Amino acid sequence: MAAQGENADHQHPSQECDLIMRGGITSGVVFPKAITRLATRYRFVNVGGTSAGSIAAIMAAAAEYRRASGGADKGFAAIDGMAGDLARNLRSLFQPWPATRSLFIIAMSVIASGGRLGPFFAGVIRAYWLSALIASLPGLALIARAIGQVNSWAGLFGLLLLLLIPAAALGVRLWNGVTKVLPAQDYGLCSGFNPHKDDVPAFTNWIADKLDEVSGRNPADPGYTPLTTGDLESKGIKVASVTTDLSSGRPYQLPLGTGIFSFRRSEFEKLFPPQVVDHLVRAGGRLEVKGKLYVDAQKNSDYYRLPVGRDFPVLLVARLSLSFPVLISAVPLYRFDYTVRPGVLVRCLFSDGGITSNFPIHFFDSILPGRPTFGISLGSVDRRNPSATRVVLPRLARDGSATAAHAIHGLANFGSAILTTARNWQDNLQSRLHGYRERIVEIRLDDEKEGGLNLDMDEAVIQQLADLGDEAGNKVLVEFQFPEHRWRRAVTALPTLGAALERLGQVWGDGYRDLLLNYAPTSLKVSPGERRRLVEFADQLAVIGLELANKPLPRASNQRAIVRVVASIDTIDDP
């Protein structure tokens, strides 16, 4: 389905845009055709996303890199074929560690049944059938003896043993798996990587191979290196994502902008293809502390600096963001914790970016945009309104302003609502602001059988989701109006900025001028010339603020937004 007034030609886009995509595990199958549809008109300058959205982001950036390198539409053609590839291979991409195979069987039983207890117990028995069989032998033996002696009490006792001993054995195996085996695999059932070249690839293998295909690189070529963020930057392209450092209790923006992290080659070889590990080792170099090679207590010296800047592999942008808790193992990195003197090297676990920001629509933002930043979001089909459209792009100012409310039923639903709200409330509120929501197209999925943790979607379902992505991209091309977006952004953002300046004007005369000129600070010192420059700048802002206090800017809506100093997720830790 071609967009109105469009040719499905990716060689000569007439405009530029940025793009953000929401995380959603298998829901990411909606993104490929949305990307290729948008690419017929737009050149992607900045592309970002979280979790599954980060995979789509690096693919879009790689295709744009190939287009900018003279590869015409070949990269986007490869992306367009990803939906069919996923339809054939989706389930096989999620391969458990050998040690977590039994837990994986149980998890898939629970997911397939929607969390019902019956399939859970059946999955436990199927996963640990040998333990259950061995544990049932005493009860079976006693029952057989009771039958031979016609002893009903012995038979009843044997039946009791037949129930209790296998149940206890299964409980012990399950408890051991959850408390010992899973943590040993960094809290993930799947590593994402299959080290055996001739076997069916896992999703990290698949992403790496697809990234080479889309960007036009061949690992067999002499001098091959994996695609890096520096390669993208050389063509004016930026990719960004989010990861969550659970050990430090904070998110980081990807690619990492701080050189404080290191990795162990022996651990990364279990998570990434050899060509990527070799690149990291070459670019990062061995970890040294005060000019000496770092060696741990076991005399192990396979620690290397994680390269940043231009040498950061694009594959790591996706994998560090794609560590859905329990399903996919976290990625271990190391950094020195200088809150302990003289500093101790800590193993930090990096997990899913969606824990802290599943839809970073604020990426690439500015008060007055020079080009659109489109968002592709994921929602759920509302069963109270089954006939509603599944692809939504708000057009009028009132569209998309209402917030749906759903009743809470049961403890599981209550807990799920708590986690979902804690993770997504800020992204959701941000997405509903004027200047945001009219550029975010939402694709609504049937959570029971589409996307999310539904690893067993058949080809028909996956193709349907891919078509929804194509419809979403087409809707943006047909319905989005950049002048209208700029108008809404201006008439809502400028009064918000004005309110902040008004407050500055009110407090600036309360000693701040003298403070900046004469105070003797104990830290964060600046030169006298820099002090005067700060004062001149603030004087100008204060004049504007005082004028606004007497003549406020007009407001076009009653939405509430604030301008304040907040920590950015790309904040670099000071060692």
Side-chain angles (χ1 to χ4, degrees):
M1 178 174 62
Q4 295 177 14
E6 288 287 339
N7 294 317
D9 177 11
H10 300 94
Q11 298 188 44
H12 305 290
S14 59
Q15 301 173 42
E16 294 181 344
C17 78
D18 302 333
L19 180 62
I20 300 292
M21 288 162 283
R22 182 183 285 271
I25 316 178
T26 66
S27 304
V29 299
V30 305
F31 295 133
K33 289 188 177 296
I35 291 169
T36 56
R37 180 64 65 186
L38 290 173
T40 60
R41 181 183 297 172
Y42 294 98
R43 183 179 81 83
F44 299 119
V45 179
N46 300 309
V47 196
T50 300
S51 193
S54 68
I55 301 176
I58 67 170
M59 295 302 172
E64 195 61 73
Y65 167 82
R66 190 171 187 179
R67 176 159 64 178
S69 304
D73 64 346
K74 294 180 180 178
F76 291 105
I79 290 179
D80 198 60
M82 284 173 57
D85 194 9
L86 289 170
R88 293 184 294 271
N89 303 304
L90 179 63
R91 176 61 180 80
S92 66
L93 297 179
F94 292 87
Q95 302 175 17
W97 296 93
T100 61
R101 194 172 304 279
S102 296
L103 289 175
F104 186 77
I105 292 172
I106 298 169
M108 292 303 100
S109 299
V110 173
I111 292 170
S113 67
R116 293 193 297 271
L117 288 178
F120 164 71
F121 290 125
V124 172
I125 294 172
R126 190 164 67 253
Y128 301 121
W129 64 270
L130 183 58
S131 296
L133 178 61
I134 294 173
S136 67
L137 293 179
L140 291 173
L142 188 56
I143 291 172
R145 183 177 180 181
I147 293 174
Q149 296 178 352
V150 194
N151 187 333
S152 59
W153 287 107
L156 288 174
F157 186 62
L159 182 60
L160 185 62
L161 293 181
L162 184 61
L163 294 174
L164 293 181
I165 296 179
L170 292 175
V172 170
R173 289 295 306 274
L174 182 61
W175 178 257
N176 182 73
V178 171
T179 61
K180 295 182 180 179
V181 176
L182 189 64
Q185 313 306 321
D186 290 326
Y187 303 93
L189 299 173
C190 305
S191 70
F193 178 63
N194 187 338
H196 305 292
K197 290 184 177 181
D198 297 331
D199 288 353
V200 177
F203 63 79
T204 302
N205 309 79
W206 182 85
I207 295 170
D209 293 343
K210 190 61 64 173
L211 195 60
D212 285 333
E213 179 187 354
V214 172
S215 62
R217 298 194 167 202
N218 186 348
D221 290 342
Y224 164 87
T225 57
L227 187 69
T228 66
T229 56
D231 295 324
L232 299 180
E233 290 171 3
S234 70
K235 302 299 180 182
I237 306 161
K238 179 180 178 180
V239 67
S241 187
V242 182
T243 185
T244 304
D245 179 1
L246 297 177
S247 303
S248 303
R250 57 156 293 181
Y252 279 94
Q253 182 169 321
L254 297 168
L256 290 172
T258 173
I260 66 174
F261 288 106
S262 306
F263 69 95
R264 291 185 65 176
R265 180 169 190 156
S266 57
E267 293 177 331
F268 265 38
E269 286 175 340
K270 300 175 183 178
L271 299 175
F272 297 101
Q275 64 269 24
V276 174
V277 177
D278 290 343
H279 167 81
L280 291 170
V281 166
R282 289 194 306 269
R286 287 186 181 272
L287 175 62
E288 294 185 355
V289 181
K290 296 180 179 180
K292 296 182 179 180
L293 188 67
Y294 180 83
V295 180
D296 66 13
Q298 286 74 40
K299 305 299 181 182
N300 195 312
S301 59
D302 71 335
Y303 291 83
Y304 294 83
R305 291 281 185 187
L306 185 71
V308 295
R310 296 182 58 84
D311 290 322
F312 199 86
V314 173
L315 176 64
L316 260 67
V317 173
R319 182 59 182 88
L320 280 168
S321 184
L322 184 71
S323 298
F324 190 82
V326 180
L327 178 61
I328 301 171
S329 296
V331 177
L333 294 178
Y334 295 79
R335 74 171 176 89
F336 282 97
D337 181 357
Y338 289 101
T339 63
V340 180
R341 295 297 180 181
V344 57
L345 192 66
V346 178
R347 188 175 189 265
C348 300
L349 290 184
F350 280 71
S351 192
D352 196 83
I355 295 171
T356 45
S357 181
N358 205 33
F359 188 44
I361 192 61
H362 59 279
F363 276 178
F364 323 129
D365 210 1
S366 61
I367 293 176
L368 297 178
R371 59 176 171 264
T373 297
F374 298 121
I376 304 177
S377 186
L378 301 168
S380 300
V381 170
D382 192 337
R383 297 189 179 279
R384 300 170 301 182
N385 188 17
S387 62
T389 180
R390 298 188 64 183
V391 178
V392 180
L393 178 66
R395 299 189 66 180
L396 300 177
R398 64 176 181 271
D399 294 343
S401 60
T403 302
H406 298 274
I408 304 296
H409 299 289
L411 183 60
N413 188 211
F414 179 70
S416 175
I418 291 175
L419 292 175
T420 299
T421 304
R423 289 174 55 233
N424 297 327
W425 74 267
Q426 193 163 12
D427 292 339
N428 291 341
L429 284 181
Q430 191 77 22
S431 300
R432 293 193 181 99
L433 290 175
H434 295 300
Y436 284 85
R437 65 173 177 256
E438 70 272 6
R439 58 184 172 89
I440 299 173
V441 60
E442 182 179 78
I443 303 172
R444 296 174 178 173
L445 309 182
D446 184 341
D447 296 333
E448 290 188 1
K449 61 180 181 180
E450 297 174 345
L453 288 169
N454 292 294
L455 306 184
D456 290 317
M457 292 186 294
D458 59 31
E459 292 192 31
V461 171
I462 292 176
Q463 186 57 55
Q464 182 182 15
L465 297 185
D467 290 341
L468 288 176
D470 186 61
E471 183 181 344
N474 190 68
K475 186 176 283 287
V476 171
L477 295 183
V478 174
E479 298 182 8
F480 176 76
Q481 300 295 325
F482 192 36
E484 176 70 15
H485 166 59
R486 282 159 59 97
W487 163 259
R488 295 186 195 179
R489 189 58 176 266
V491 299
T492 56
L494 292 177
T496 301
L497 178 60
L501 292 177
E502 183 179 340
R503 175 61 179 160
L504 183 147
Q506 292 170 352
V507 301
W508 174 243
D510 188 21
Y512 269 99
R513 197 174 198 281
D514 180 68
L515 183 79
L516 282 177
L517 288 174
N518 302 311
Y519 176 68
T522 59
S523 58
L524 297 180
K525 299 179 181 180
V526 296
S527 68
E530 292 170 328
R531 288 181 178 225
R532 290 192 295 271
R533 182 69 187 97
L534 288 173
V535 169
E536 291 171 0
F537 174 63
D539 279 342
Q540 297 172 39
L541 294 180
V543 170
I544 297 174
L546 292 174
E547 291 176 352
L548 291 172
N550 297 321
K551 192 177 181 180
L553 294 174
R555 288 188 172 273
S557 77
N558 62 356
Q559 77 173 20
R560 297 291 183 87
I562 57 175
V563 176
R564 61 190 176 104
V565 177
V566 297
S568 172
I569 63 172
D570 62 350
T571 296
I572 297 176
D573 292 307
D574 291 324

